[in-house]
């Protein structure tokens, strides 16, 4: 593999045969280390052909790059992380994450905007450098743009025979965030949709410099921003984080907003904002607060702690082949798993970055992020601590719905209530389950599942 992580959270090394560039109407994106249907490739060759909508595609790629180099909370200079690109056959998905870990961005170039040959399916990093960004900013008009993603003609070294190498910091929170956002958004539904003119009007009316959490309430053909949760509202945490959409508004056809069920909402939530462009979609997913990254949300912890789901996930991943839309019923039939176990296994795959979630189609898609999926579990300190408590025998159930966990010389009392668990530890008191389970709840869940599995086997 040409792209490897070195030391936990230290750096990501990218190796390209030459810089990406835009020359004579050809946009050549160099690739670095990826996984394809035929296995790992140092420089995979995915697509060559024409993008029929050059200007919005160039603007969308620039918007992705802007997110990747932005630290929305406490802004300061940061290293640029190259976008992740997946070829699913009928589309190209380009993904990036903000440096602060609070904004996930994706540009989906769909079949109507692609005219060419798919040479391979899979996932890789692509080089986006300064000169390329300057060239993309000059793309305009309606002329088509020729695109090569890892094309054979680019698989040559530079004039002096050297390869292009980059090594950039890749914080653990960045990797965890990529996993968290897929699991969080899998439960989202469409909450509001604006037509092009209304979308432009709403976006341009947003307050500038606003970092506080607001709520977008449907009001006729538009949305009204209010300071507190309201019936039918969608959380907009830090409106300024939608600014990368502004240069894309001239191409907009619609704006759609996705969020969790509104019932019982009393605090900030994540949300998905999708701008429909000609033949493509630009998507931003925002964390619940401007100052809060996805890495600490804890949505993946339950799935990561389930041994059965981990085994089922290994079975499912062998059946995936970079499909643009993963069909759970078909996977259940092919794997022999129940629908419930198939869903749990897909969630597990989301926690390791091996599937993403597309809110527009309410479906998972297969991709393999260019880092070791086994690292995600190791990057969650709460899960590590919970497993250590289990190994120490620190969990004792006093009833079917209650446990005592010995931790740091004291007792923490865990209760399993309808649809949630509670704990007497400071973490639960501070967050009330809003940022995932504490280590004591996780440890109790692990012990409880183990006991239930033992009873099931005995039957």
């Amino acid at each position: 593999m040409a792209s490897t992580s070195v030391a936990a959270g230290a750096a990501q090394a990218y190796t390209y045969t030459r810089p990406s560039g835009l020359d004579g109407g050809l946009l050549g994106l160099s690739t670095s280390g990826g996984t394809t249907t035929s296995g790992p490739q140092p420089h995979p060759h995915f697509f060559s052909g024409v993008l029929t909508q050059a200007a919005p595609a160039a603007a969308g790629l620039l918007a992705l790059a802007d997110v990747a180099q932005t630290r929305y909370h406490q802004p300061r200079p940061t290293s640029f992380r190259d976008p992740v690109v997946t070829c699913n056959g009928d589309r190209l998905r380009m993904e990036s994450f903000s440096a602060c870990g609070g904004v996930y961005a994706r540009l989906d170039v769909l079949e109507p905007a692609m005219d060419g040959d798919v040479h391979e399916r899979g996932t890789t990093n692509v080089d986006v450098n300064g000169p390329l960004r300057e060239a993309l900013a000059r793309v305009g008009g309606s002329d088509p743009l020729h695109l090569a993603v890892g094309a054979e003609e680019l698989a040559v070294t530079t004039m002096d025979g050297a390869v292009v190498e980059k090594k950039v910091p890749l914080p653990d929170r960045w990797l965890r965030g990529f996993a968290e956002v897929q699991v969080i958004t899998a439960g989202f539904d469409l909450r509001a949709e604006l037509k092009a003119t209304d979308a432009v009007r709403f976006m341009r009316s947003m307050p500038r410099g606003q970092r506080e959490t607001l709520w977008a309430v449907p009001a006729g053909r538009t949305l009204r921003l209010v300071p507190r949760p309201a019936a039918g509202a969608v959380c907009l945490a830090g409106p300024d984080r939608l600014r990368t959409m502004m240069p894309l508004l001239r191409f907009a056809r619609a704006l759609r907003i996705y969020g969790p069920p509104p019932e019982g909402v009393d605090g900030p939530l994540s949300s998905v904002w999708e701008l429909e462009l000609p033949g493509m979609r630009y998507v931003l997913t925002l964390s619940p607060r401007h100052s809060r990254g996805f890495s600490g949300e804890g949505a993946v912890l339950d799935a990561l702690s389930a041994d059965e789901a981990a085994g089922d996930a290994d079975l499912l991943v062998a059946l995936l082949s970079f499909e643009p839309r993963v069909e759970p019923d078909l996977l259940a039939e092919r794997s022999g798993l129940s629908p419930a176990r198939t869903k749990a296994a897909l969630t597990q795959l989301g926690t390791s970055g091996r599937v993403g979630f597309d809110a527009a189609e309410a479906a998972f898609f297969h991709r393999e992020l260019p880092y070791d999926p086994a690292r995600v579990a190791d990057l969650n300190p709460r899960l590590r601590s919970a497993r250590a408590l289990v190994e120490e025998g620190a969990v004792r159930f006093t009833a079917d719905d209650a446990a005592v966990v010995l931790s740091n010389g004291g007792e923490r009392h865990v209760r399993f209530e309808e649809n949630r668990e509670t704990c007497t530890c400071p973490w639960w008191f501070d967050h009330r389950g809003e940022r995932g389970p504490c280590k004591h709840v996780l440890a109790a869940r692990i012990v409880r599942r183990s006991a239930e599995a033992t009873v099931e086997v005995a039957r």
Side-chain angles (χ1 to χ4, degrees):
M1 294 281 289
S3 179
T4 57
S5 294
V6 290
Q12 177 89 355
Y14 303 111
T15 303
Y16 300 103
T17 54
R18 62 175 291 176
S20 294
L22 179 56
D23 184 25
L26 170 64
L27 172 58
L29 297 178
S30 292
T31 62
S32 173
T35 302
T36 71
T37 52
S38 56
Q41 298 289 335
H43 302 286
H45 177 198
F46 286 144
F47 176 81
S48 59
V50 170
L51 293 180
T52 59
Q53 299 289 336
L61 187 52
L62 274 175
L64 275 185
D66 286 344
V67 169
Q69 71 170 8
T70 301
R71 189 182 298 274
Y72 293 92
H73 178 55
Q74 297 178 343
R76 63 178 183 269
T78 184
S79 299
F80 180 80
R81 298 167 184 88
D82 286 337
V84 173
V85 175
T86 298
C87 180
N88 288 126
D90 68 344
R91 69 195 68 186
L92 292 168
R93 299 184 190 269
M94 307 180 185
E95 301 172 87
S96 68
F97 225 92
S98 66
C100 60
V103 179
Y104 164 80
R106 192 179 75 242
L107 175 66
D108 293 340
V109 182
L110 306 174
E111 192 170 23
M114 297 168 57
D115 184 9
D117 298 319
V118 173
H119 302 280
E120 181 61 279
R121 288 177 293 172
T123 308
T124 187
N125 288 106
V126 295
D127 171 50
V128 176
N129 52 64
L132 175 63
R133 295 182 63 189
E134 293 175 6
L136 288 171
R138 295 192 293 269
V139 174
S142 58
D143 292 338
L145 182 66
H146 293 272
L147 172 67
V149 182
E152 292 173 343
E153 60 265 26
L154 296 179
V156 295
T157 57
T158 53
M159 293 298 291
D160 59 1
V163 296
V164 178
E165 292 185 345
K166 299 181 182 180
K167 186 176 288 186
V168 297
L170 198 65
D172 291 347
R173 67 179 182 276
W174 193 88
L175 300 181
R176 295 204 310 269
F178 246 122
E180 291 278 354
V181 74
Q182 315 306 326
V183 178
I184 292 170
T185 58
F188 286 9
D189 295 315
L190 180 64
R191 298 296 170 199
E193 181 173 358
L194 304 184
K195 294 181 179 179
T197 53
D198 300 318
V200 171
R201 189 176 300 113
F202 166 73
M203 292 289 292
R204 289 178 175 167
S205 69
M206 286 193 306
R208 290 185 175 274
Q210 174 63 264
R211 301 179 115 198
E212 300 304 314
T213 298
L214 298 176
W215 296 80
V217 182
R221 298 190 311 175
T222 187
L223 297 171
R224 180 168 53 89
L225 294 178
V226 297
R228 290 177 293 276
V234 178
C235 185
L236 175 53
D240 247 23
R241 296 191 292 175
L242 294 181
R243 287 291 164 192
T244 61
M245 284 187 166
M246 301 305 284
L248 299 173
L249 290 180
R250 66 186 187 277
F251 309 113
R253 292 185 172 178
L255 174 68
R256 299 183 185 91
I257 303 98
Y258 304 82
E263 294 80 13
V265 173
D266 58 2
L269 300 166
S270 297
S271 56
V272 176
W273 298 73
E274 171 203 304
L275 202 61
E276 181 187 340
L277 309 172
M280 57 197 82
R281 295 189 290 255
Y282 181 72
V283 180
L284 290 178
T285 303
L286 308 182
S287 65
R289 292 186 187 276
H290 187 279
S291 59
R292 192 158 125 190
F294 280 103
S295 61
E297 292 306 288
V300 305
L301 290 172
D302 192 39
L304 285 173
S305 66
D307 292 334
E308 181 185 71
D312 291 344
D314 289 339
L315 174 60
L316 290 194
V317 80
L319 300 175
L320 297 177
S321 185
F322 294 98
E323 295 88 348
R325 182 185 177 94
V326 174
E327 301 290 350
D329 291 343
L330 179 60
L331 272 184
E333 181 181 338
R334 293 174 62 193
S335 65
L337 300 175
S338 68
R341 285 180 62 178
T342 299
K343 182 179 179 181
L346 281 172
T347 300
Q348 177 87 17
L349 290 175
T351 67
S352 60
R354 308 187 85 166
V355 297
F357 189 79
D358 186 343
E361 299 186 5
F364 288 102
F365 60 90
H366 182 207
R367 56 110 143 91
E368 299 276 345
L369 292 182
Y371 60 81
D372 182 2
R375 286 187 60 202
V376 179
D378 296 334
L379 295 177
N380 282 278
R382 270 181 277 166
L383 181 57
R384 290 200 305 271
S385 298
R387 286 175 171 163
L389 290 171
V390 173
E391 291 173 4
E392 295 165 4
V395 181
R396 174 173 54 89
F397 271 81
T398 57
D400 289 343
D401 62 352
V404 175
V405 182
L406 299 178
S407 177
N408 299 326
E411 292 185 346
R412 303 302 183 192
H413 295 266
V414 174
R415 291 196 64 85
F416 290 84
E417 301 176 358
E418 186 177 0
N419 298 324
R420 73 168 187 163
E421 300 92 354
T422 63
C423 184
T424 57
C425 72
W427 172 271
W428 192 90
F429 182 80
D430 288 342
H431 302 291
R432 306 282 172 166
E434 186 182 289
R435 303 195 71 176
C438 64
K439 63 183 180 181
H440 312 105
V441 168
L442 272 175
R445 284 182 185 175
I446 293 170
V447 171
R448 191 186 206 194
R449 270 198 296 257
S450 178
E452 290 172 348
T454 300
V455 171
E456 187 66 26
V457 170
R459 291 176 181 171

